Amino acid sequence: MRRTAAWLLPLAMTMLVATGCGGAGTSQNDAGGGASTQGGDTITLRFSWWGDQTRATLTQQVIDLYEKLHPNVKIQPEFTGYSGYQQKLTTEAAGNNLPDIMQMNYGPMITQFTTQGLLENLEPYTDAHTIDVTKVDKNLVNEGYVNGHLYGIPIAENALAVLYNPDLLHKAGLSDPKPDWTWDDFIHMAETVHQKLGIYGARTLVFNDSVTLPEYYIRAHGQHLFTPDQKGYAYEDQTLADFWKISLKLIQDGAAPTIDKIQQIQGLEQEPIAQQKAAFDLHWSNQLTVLSNNGKVPLKLAPLPGPGQDQGMYLKASQFLSISKTSKHKEQAADFINFFINNLDAAKILKTERGLPVSSDIQEQLKPDLSPIDQETVDYISYVTKHSSPIDPDSPPKYAQISQVMKDVEQKVLFGKESPEAGAKEFRSKTESLLK
């Protein structure tokens, strides 16, 4: 998942539980068939996640499949947009009313709920293979550890990517970007598209989580945003300023939308690249399916420009699933998580919408069922696997405040109210105390 929420409508929808459970019994051959309810009593699990309607529809189909195999289990789905998701859980935690199963994000989200003692340690469930992670890359599993214990099971893997429209590039007389392309190439190609076709060349390089893209740029320049102990910064101000200059030049040349136009975007369908009004955009790789309208808009994936791509790029668990400490049905919740990551039929439903499935066995078995768009994602993740560096350690506790300051300063810079260099100094001066 991308840290931005621009594509996620702030809807707060709760879906009714599907009541039509089939009569099939539990299949012990199917992942997720290990746990069983006792005495025929029906148990209800609440499952909460963030996402759009496409994700909700696919997730509901997985829930229906699980319920069909487990007639005594009802799963109550709850989903909302990313921007309101963490606050929703925070409110529920205050009322001692967290869902049994929760989608979590790497960084401040899982750290917040872990440090407050709200999540179950999942090591006993993986040790007992109730949740089988033997086919999941160990580095990916390690991302779910906080303070030495496992609190989140990765359910898909993801990477930052440039989404581009090859048809628009070709109309502008350009070729597809090469894997070793540079930011100068990116700017030149975006401006050429704008000049030749009269549309935007690229979307402005802005995520709702304003830290993600500068962090890549800083890593690509051999630096890191935070020190290893997360009590200081480990980059040069000029590096951050240089990143903002890319967007600033594109905006000033008319090759990217201004910040006020970006702020008017209310959903993925309004993104310039989804409307074929821009040739480039930067997103998480799993958003290819939605932004291409399931392949109707001809989009492809390329690594972010360099130099330094191999240092800057990283694989990331797109989401985790966690179990609340207060759940009365932890064993069944663990069984559902296992089903979510290891059941082939569930994987055939989800495909790459949440990112590439984490099980190597599932990845192999899924190949014949992949659409060209899904295969593009698989090929891209395979490329990044060979051309990336480990993700930086978990974010500092006050990451959310730091991200907000970064966003405020970024807007001042991109509105032209202060220079990139002054913005970089302002960001550091306002946030260093948050790291102490």
Side-chain angles (χ1 to χ4, degrees):
M1 182 217 78
R2 180 185 180 185
R3 285 179 181 170
T4 183
W7 59 279
L8 295 171
L9 294 174
L11 74 167
M13 300 178 65
T14 299
M15 299 171 62
L16 295 176
V17 177
T19 56
C21 298
T26 299
S27 169
Q28 296 301 325
N29 293 323
D30 281 327
S36 61
T37 55
Q38 296 181 352
D41 294 337
T42 297
I43 66 171
T44 298
L45 298 174
R46 290 172 55 213
F47 175 24
S48 183
W49 71 89
W50 72 82
D52 60 6
Q53 186 58 51
T54 297
R55 176 170 299 171
T57 300
L58 296 177
T59 305
Q60 182 61 55
Q61 292 176 26
V62 173
I63 289 172
D64 291 344
L65 182 61
Y66 185 82
E67 290 179 334
K68 186 175 181 180
L69 294 169
H70 302 77
N72 292 339
V73 179
K74 300 291 185 185
I75 297 180
Q76 180 177 319
E78 303 172 0
F79 76 94
T80 184
Y82 183 74
S83 60
Y85 181 76
Q86 190 164 345
Q87 183 56 50
K88 172 180 174 291
L89 291 185
T90 300
T91 302
E92 291 174 337
N96 196 29
N97 188 37
L98 278 174
D100 299 275
I101 305 162
M102 293 167 284
Q103 187 171 294
M104 284 279 141
N105 199 6
Y106 182 79
M109 185 183 293
I110 195 168
T111 300
Q112 173 190 329
F113 290 95
T114 298
T115 54
Q116 292 175 353
L118 298 170
L119 302 183
E120 177 77 357
N121 176 19
L122 301 178
E123 287 172 308
Y125 303 94
T126 55
D127 290 346
H129 297 288
T130 307
I131 303 175
D132 186 358
V133 294
T134 55
K135 299 298 181 182
V136 182
D137 184 273
K138 188 172 292 185
N139 289 329
L140 208 59
V141 175
N142 288 341
E143 291 183 18
Y145 277 82
V146 180
N147 298 327
H149 295 292
L150 182 63
Y151 293 103
I153 300 297
I155 57 175
E157 57 184 330
N158 226 352
L160 286 169
V162 173
L163 279 68
Y164 70 96
N165 187 320
D167 288 0
L168 294 179
L169 294 184
H170 300 163
K171 285 180 182 176
L174 299 166
S175 301
D176 291 24
K178 297 178 180 177
D180 61 347
W181 67 327
T182 67
W183 286 107
D184 285 344
D185 295 331
F186 175 79
I187 293 169
H188 167 72
M189 294 172 75
E191 294 191 335
T192 299
V193 168
H194 173 62
Q195 292 162 7
K196 295 284 184 65
L197 305 184
I199 60 174
Y200 294 125
R203 186 191 197 272
T204 314
L205 308 183
V206 174
F207 275 17
N208 265 14
D209 176 351
S210 52
V211 173
T212 300
L213 292 180
E215 183 181 39
Y216 161 78
Y217 191 84
I218 287 168
R219 281 169 52 100
H221 283 74
Q223 304 165 37
H224 292 277
L225 185 60
F226 302 109
T227 56
D229 64 4
Q230 301 176 338
K231 293 184 178 179
Y233 290 117
Y235 69 93
E236 299 171 359
D237 283 352
Q238 189 59 51
T239 308
L240 178 58
D242 288 345
F243 171 76
W244 282 332
K245 286 180 179 178
I246 298 170
S247 284
L248 201 55
K249 176 169 176 51
L250 292 173
I251 291 171
Q252 290 172 343
D253 293 346
T258 54
I259 288 297
D260 57 328
K261 290 182 178 176
I262 290 292
Q263 291 170 339
Q264 294 171 21
I265 296 173
Q266 294 298 316
L268 273 180
E269 71 282 355
Q270 296 181 9
E271 289 286 355
I273 197 166
Q275 298 183 338
Q276 305 198 61
K277 294 180 179 177
F280 293 115
D281 198 354
L282 275 64
H283 281 272
W284 292 104
S285 55
N286 68 307
Q287 293 178 333
L288 178 65
T289 300
V290 177
L291 281 168
S292 69
N293 193 11
N294 287 314
K296 294 176 183 175
V297 178
L299 300 183
K300 301 184 74 174
L301 298 172
L304 268 62
Q309 287 106 323
D310 287 13
Q311 296 178 95
M313 297 292 294
Y314 56 87
L315 290 174
K316 174 180 177 287
S318 56
Q319 305 104 24
F320 302 104
L321 289 184
S322 300
I323 299 174
S324 70
K325 193 81 173 176
T326 55
S327 172
K328 296 178 180 177
H329 307 290
K330 297 184 179 71
E331 192 75 18
Q332 199 70 47
D335 187 67
F336 178 73
I337 292 175
N338 185 56
F339 180 84
F340 210 88
I341 65 172
N342 288 314
N343 184 279
L344 179 59
D345 290 331
K348 287 180 178 178
I349 294 169
L350 296 168
K351 294 185 178 174
T352 62
E353 194 281 328
R354 290 173 182 267
L356 189 66
V358 291
S359 164
S360 57
D361 278 359
I362 291 295
Q363 290 176 17
E364 191 64 29
Q365 295 175 65
L366 201 56
K367 282 183 179 178
D369 296 285
L370 293 177
S371 68
I373 284 291
D374 293 324
Q375 189 60 54
E376 175 78 9
T377 302
V378 171
D379 292 344
Y380 180 70
I381 292 296
S382 176
Y383 175 85
V384 175
T385 300
K386 299 171 185 172
H387 297 277
S388 59
S389 299
I391 193 171
D392 283 0
D394 198 7
S395 306
K398 294 183 180 178
Y399 178 89
Q401 293 170 259
I402 293 169
S403 179
Q404 184 60 51
V405 174
M406 177 80 85
K407 184 174 185 176
D408 293 343
V409 173
E410 179 181 65
Q411 290 187 5
K412 289 171 67 176
V413 170
L414 298 186
F415 271 123
K417 294 181 178 178
E418 69 179 354
S419 70
E421 286 79 5
K425 288 181 180 178
E426 180 184 353
F427 170 72
R428 184 183 292 270
S429 67
K430 285 186 172 179
T431 56
E432 278 187 318
S433 61
L434 298 174
L435 297 171
K436 305 302 182 187

